[in-house]
Amino acid sequence: MTLMATEIAEQPEVLERVLRDVPPQLAPMVARLRATSPRVVLLAARGTSDNAALYAKYLVETVVGLPAGLASPSAMTIYGARPDLRNVLVVAVSQSGGSPDLLEVTQAARASGAVTLAVTNAPRSPLAAAAELHLDVEAGEERAVPATKSYTAQLLALWLLCTAWGKGDLTAAEGLPVAADAMLMRSADPADELAALLAGADRIVVSARGFAYATACEAALKLMETSYVAAHAFSGADLLHGPIAMVAPGEPALAIVPRGAGGAAMLPVLDRLRAAGATLAILGDRGRHAPSWSLSLPPVDEALSPILQILPLQLTALRLALARGTDPDLPRRLSKVTLTR
Amino acid sequence: MTLMATEIAEQPEVLERVLRDVPPQLAPMVARLRATSPRVVLLAARGTSDNAALYAKYLVETVVGLPAGLASPSAMTIYGARPDLRNVLVVAVSQSGGSPDLLEVTQAARASGAVTLAVTNAPRSPLAAAAELHLDVEAGEERAVPATKSYTAQLLALWLLCTAWGKGDLTAAEGLPVAADAMLMRSADPADELAALLAGADRIVVSARGFAYATACEAALKLMETSYVAAHAFSGADLLHGPIAMVAPGEPALAIVPRGAGGAAMLPVLDRLRAAGATLAILGDRGRHAPSWSLSLPPVDEALSPILQILPLQLTALRLALARGTDPDLPRRLSKVTLTR
C-alpha cells in the first residue's frame, strides 16, 4: 500500500475532522474580517495549494461578495514591489507553511497594511507565525509528495471560512464525509478504467468551468506529478480561445461537468471537443454525449462538489502511476516541501 | 506569404504607431485614474489578450504600485456574482472588443461601482463603448487568427499607460521599433533552427519568471494554435512545485532568461531542467549552460523586454506550422473572434 493510497483513503475521516475542528477556529477570524472589511482579496500559493486558492477565489466572489484575484508572489519577491495593501486581505495557502516566497509575501503584505491570513496544515510553521490570522486545515501529517488529503481539507476549510464570513449555512457541508466515502468506493473501478484509457497517452486536456476549474487544474497536476503525462488544464472558455486547435483526433480529453451553472457552461465545450474527435471522458453529467468514460457526481451543491470531484481523479493518477511503474509517493525530482522565491 | 508572416513583419511599424498615437490618449485617462485613485486593479481577458493582461499585472504591481490580480469572468457571467467594486479598476483586454463575457464583466463592473477600462484594437467595438475609459492599441486590422501584432501593441500600450500613471519616463520605449526590427532580422535563422528542433516534438515546456512569464504563456499559446504542439507554460517557480516531474529526458524545454531579476530567478530552474535531461532552448542569457538552441536578447529594460522576446517565438510558431503543413492563418477549429460567456 503506497502512502498516496493511504492518504487518499483517509479523506472521509479528514473531512470529518475538518468539520469538527475548523468551525471553532472561525468566530474570531470572521469577527476580525468583518471589523476590517477588506475591499478585495488576493490569494497567493504554489502547486496544489494554488488550485485550492483558485477554488477560494470563486467562493470569495460568489459567497462573500468581494472581488478576488490570484497574486503571483514574484512581483514582491523578485522585483521587490511593495504595493499599498491597506484594506486588502492577502491569503497565503500552503500545506507545509514552509515556502519562502509565501512567507516573504505574507511578511511584506502585513508590513504594507494588509490583513494577512495563512491557510496551512502546519500550525507551527513560519507562515502560520508570520500571518496575522491562521487557519489550520487539520489534514494531519501528509507524507506522500503528491498532495491529496491536504487539498480536500484546504477546500473544505476555505469553504467553511467563506461561508461563515458570508453568513451562509455551514450545515450544508455536513454530509460530505459520507459522500466522500461513497464516492471513493464507487470510484475504484472507474479509476482503473480511466487509467487504462490513459495508459498510452502522452498528453491529455482537462477542462471545466467555475468552481470545477480548480478540479481540472489539480487533476492535471496530479497526472503530471505522478504519471508524467503532459496534462493540460484549461477553463472551458480559454480552451476555445486557441488551445482547442491542438486537440488531435483520438487524444484524450477529460471534462468535469457538475450539476449547476458551471457544468451547464461546459456543454458547448463538450460539443467542440467531440467535433475535434477527442476521446472524451466525462466526470459528471454526460448529457447527450456517449463518452469513452464517464462517472456521475453526487447531487451536492456545485460549490462543494470539487471536494468530491477530485477523489476519482486522485485515484486515477495513482493507478496510472502504478501501471507505469513510477513511484507515486516520491515522483522523480520532487520533494515534499519545495523552496522557491 | 501568409497573413501571419505579414503581420509579424509589420510589428516594428505598429510599435512606432503605438508610440505616436497612444501617448495623446493617456492624459485624460491618467487624470481620471489619479482622481479616483483605485485601491486595486483587476484584469480580465481571454487567449492572447490574457497574456497581455498578465504582463500588465506585473506593471501595475511594480510601476503603479497597486495590487493587481487576474479575474476570471465566469464568477460574474456564470454565477452572476456582483461583488462591490467601488475603488476598483477593472481592465478588460480584447483585440476585437467583441467577446460577450468581457462585455458582460465590464457592464456589470461599471454598474457595481468600478472604474472600467477597455483595452482593444477596435475603438468602435461593444467593449470599447461599454467601458468608461478606452485605450486603443492602434495595431491596425489583424487578419490572421493567431494574434501577433495586436499582442505587442497591447503590451506597449499597457506599458505606456502604466508608466504614465506611475509617473515614469515614457522615452525609455523610444528605441523599441528599431530594436524590434533588428530582433526580427536576427531571428530569421534561429527561428528556423528552433522550429527544426521542435519538428518531432509532441509536447514542450516553456518557462520564465516575472514579466517574461507572459512571453512563456504567449509562446505556448502560439505553438498550440498554429502547430498543435502541447506547449505548456509554467512560471519557473510553479514548474518546480510539481510539473518538473513530467519532463522526460530529451524533451524540449524553452526558457526565457532576460537580463534582470526575473531572468536571474530562472537560474535554478535551468539547473533543474538540465538535470532532468531536457533538450534546453534558451532565449536570453544562456549563462553557464550549453543549450541545444539559444538566441540572445537586446539589453533593454526587463519590463520592456517581453515586447521583443515574443518576436522570434512568433516566427518559430509560424515556421513550425508551415513545416507541419498546417495553415497558420486559419488554425483548425478557430475563428478570429471567439464568442464565450
Side-chain angles (χ1 to χ4, degrees), chain B residues 56-127:
Chain B
K57 193 180 93 64
Y58 285 93
L59 285 176
V60 170
E61 291 172 314
T62 59
V63 175
V64 181
L66 285 178
L70 296 179
S72 41
S74 57
M76 283 180 157
T77 58
I78 294 182
Y79 296 115
R82 291 295 178 266
D84 180 352
L85 294 172
R86 282 169 299 170
N87 300 316
V88 176
L89 170 64
V90 171
V91 182
V93 188
S94 168
Q95 191 280 129
S96 69
S99 202
D101 42 7
L102 298 179
L103 182 61
E104 186 176 340
V105 163
T106 301
Q107 289 167 333
R110 198 169 176 180
S112 300
V115 177
T116 51
L117 166 64
V119 179
T120 84
N121 192 31
R124 280 177 296 278
S125 62
L127 185 61

Side-chain angles (χ1 to χ4, degrees), chain A residues 39 57 61 72 74-75 79 86 202-203 209 231-232 241 244-245 247 272 302 332-333 340-341, chain B residues 39 57-58 61 72 75 79 86 202-203 209 231-232 241 244-245 247 272 302 332-333 340-341:
Chain A
R39 307 275 313 118
K57 192 180 93 64
E61 292 172 313
S72 41
S74 57
Y79 297 114
R86 283 170 298 168
D202 194 39
R203 48 192 246 190
R209 290 200 69 178
H232 221 139
H241 278 262
I244 185 79
V247 177
R272 295 286 295 277
E302 190 179 353
R332 59 185 181 192
R333 302 175 204 129
T340 50
R341 279 201 69 227
Chain B
R39 306 276 313 116
K57 193 180 93 64
Y58 285 93
E61 291 172 314
S72 41
Y79 296 115
R86 282 169 299 170
D202 192 40
R203 48 191 246 188
R209 290 201 69 178
H232 221 139
H241 278 263
I244 185 80
V247 176
R272 295 287 295 277
E302 189 179 352
R332 61 186 180 190
R333 303 174 203 131
T340 50
R341 281 201 67 226

Side-chain angles (χ1 to χ4, degrees), chain A residues 28-44 66 76 83-92 105-118 130-134 161 165, chain B residues 39:
Chain A
M29 215 174 291
V30 168
R32 173 76 176 128
L33 292 173
R34 293 226 178 96
T36 55
S37 68
R39 307 275 313 118
V40 65
V41 178
L42 293 176
L43 299 124
L66 286 178
M76 284 180 156
D84 180 351
L85 294 171
R86 283 170 298 168
N87 300 318
V88 175
L89 169 64
V90 171
V91 182
V105 163
T106 300
Q107 289 166 334
R110 198 169 177 180
S112 299
V115 177
T116 52
L117 166 65
E132 178 190 340
L133 304 170
H134 176 249
L161 173 64
W165 188 7
Chain B
R39 306 276 313 116

Side-chain angles (χ1 to χ4, degrees), chain A residues 202 230, chain B residues 193-207 223 229-234 239 244 246-255 273-274 276-282 292-293 316 320 324:
Chain A
D202 194 39
Chain B
E193 289 156 23
L194 184 54
L197 192 78
L198 300 179
D202 192 40
R203 48 191 246 188
I204 174 175
V205 162
V206 190
S207 189
L223 289 168
V229 185
H232 221 139
F234 297 99
L239 180 64
I244 185 80
M246 76 166 174
V247 176
E251 187 172 316
L254 168 64
L273 284 169
R274 192 179 55 172
T279 297
L280 212 51
I282 298 180
S292 301
W293 177 91
T316 300
L320 187 56
R324 290 187 171 194

Side-chain angles (χ1 to χ4, degrees), chain A:
Chain A
M1 186 94 163
T2 59
L3 295 172
M4 187 180 175
T6 306
E7 290 170 355
I8 289 173
E10 270 176 43
Q11 291 175 101
E13 187 187 313
V14 168
L15 295 175
E16 212 168 306
R17 187 163 62 234
V18 175
L19 285 178
R20 190 189 62 215
D21 293 348
V22 165
Q25 300 180 46
L26 297 177
M29 215 174 291
V30 168
R32 173 76 176 128
L33 292 173
R34 293 226 178 96
T36 55
S37 68
R39 307 275 313 118
V40 65
V41 178
L42 293 176
L43 299 124
R46 296 281 184 203
T48 290
S49 300
D50 203 24
N51 300 329
L54 180 59
Y55 168 76
K57 192 180 93 64
Y58 285 94
L59 284 177
V60 170
E61 292 172 313
T62 59
V63 175
V64 181
L66 286 178
L70 296 179
S72 41
S74 57
M76 284 180 156
T77 58
I78 294 182
Y79 297 114
R82 291 295 178 267
D84 180 351
L85 294 171
R86 283 170 298 168
N87 300 318
V88 175
L89 169 64
V90 171
V91 182
V93 188
S94 168
Q95 190 281 128
S96 69
S99 203
D101 41 8
L102 297 180
L103 182 61
E104 186 175 340
V105 163
T106 300
Q107 289 166 334
R110 198 169 177 180
S112 299
V115 177
T116 52
L117 166 65
V119 179
T120 83
N121 192 31
R124 279 176 298 277
S125 62
L127 186 61
E132 178 190 340
L133 304 170
H134 176 249
L135 179 59
D136 180 355
V137 305
E138 305 277 2
E141 191 196 2
E142 189 172 62
R143 293 165 63 204
V145 168
T148 53
K149 64 176 183 169
S150 67
Y151 176 67
T152 45
Q154 285 169 341
L155 296 193
L156 182 52
L158 287 161
W159 183 90
L160 289 165
L161 173 64
C162 291
T163 303
W165 188 7
K167 300 184 182 172
D169 175 15
L170 295 191
T171 64
E174 267 176 8
L176 271 183
V178 169
D181 195 48
M183 188 81 204
L184 280 173
M185 299 267 284
R186 205 157 60 79
S187 297
D189 290 343
D192 274 338
E193 289 156 23
L194 183 54
L197 190 79
L198 300 179
D202 194 39
R203 48 192 246 190
I204 174 175
V205 162
V206 190
S207 188
R209 290 200 69 178
F211 288 104
Y213 178 41
T215 306
C217 293
E218 175 60 9
L221 182 56
K222 284 286 118 5
L223 288 168
M224 287 189 280
E225 283 180 327
T226 63
S227 317
Y228 313 154
V229 185
H232 221 139
F234 297 100
S235 98
D238 285 326
L239 180 64
L240 302 188
H241 278 262
I244 185 79
M246 77 166 172
V247 177
E251 188 173 314
L254 169 64
I256 299 124
V257 191
R259 298 184 195 191
M266 280 298 289
L267 299 182
V269 181
L270 293 177
D271 291 342
R272 295 286 295 277
L273 284 169
R274 192 179 54 172
T279 296
L280 212 52
I282 298 180
L283 178 61
D285 183 3
R286 47 193 286 175
R288 58 200 166 76
H289 294 277
S292 301
W293 177 90
S294 70
L295 176 64
S296 65
L297 288 167
V300 304
D301 184 76
E302 190 179 353
L304 283 166
S305 181
I307 299 168
L308 303 175
Q309 289 159 15
I310 195 62
L311 303 176
L313 305 176
Q314 292 169 339
L315 278 177
T316 300
L318 169 68
R319 303 289 169 85
L320 186 56
L322 295 174
R324 290 188 170 191
T326 64
D327 179 357
D329 292 340
L330 191 59
R332 59 185 181 192
R333 302 175 204 129
L334 298 184
S335 54
K336 187 66 188 165
V337 181
T338 306
L339 304 176
T340 50
R341 279 201 69 227

Side-chain angles (χ1 to χ4, degrees), chain B residues 266-340:
Chain B
M266 280 298 289
L267 299 182
V269 181
L270 293 176
D271 291 341
R272 295 287 295 277
L273 284 169
R274 192 179 55 172
T279 297
L280 212 51
I282 298 180
L283 177 61
D285 183 2
R286 47 193 286 177
R288 58 199 167 75
H289 295 278
S292 301
W293 177 91
S294 69
L295 176 64
S296 65
L297 288 167
V300 304
D301 183 77
E302 189 179 352
L304 283 165
S305 180
I307 298 167
L308 303 175
Q309 290 160 14
I310 195 61
L311 303 176
L313 305 177
Q314 292 169 339
L315 278 176
T316 300
L318 169 69
R319 303 290 169 86
L320 187 56
L322 295 173
R324 290 187 171 194
T326 64
D327 179 356
D329 292 340
L330 190 60
R332 61 186 180 190
R333 303 174 203 131
L334 298 184
S335 54
K336 187 65 189 166
V337 180
T338 305
L339 304 176
T340 50

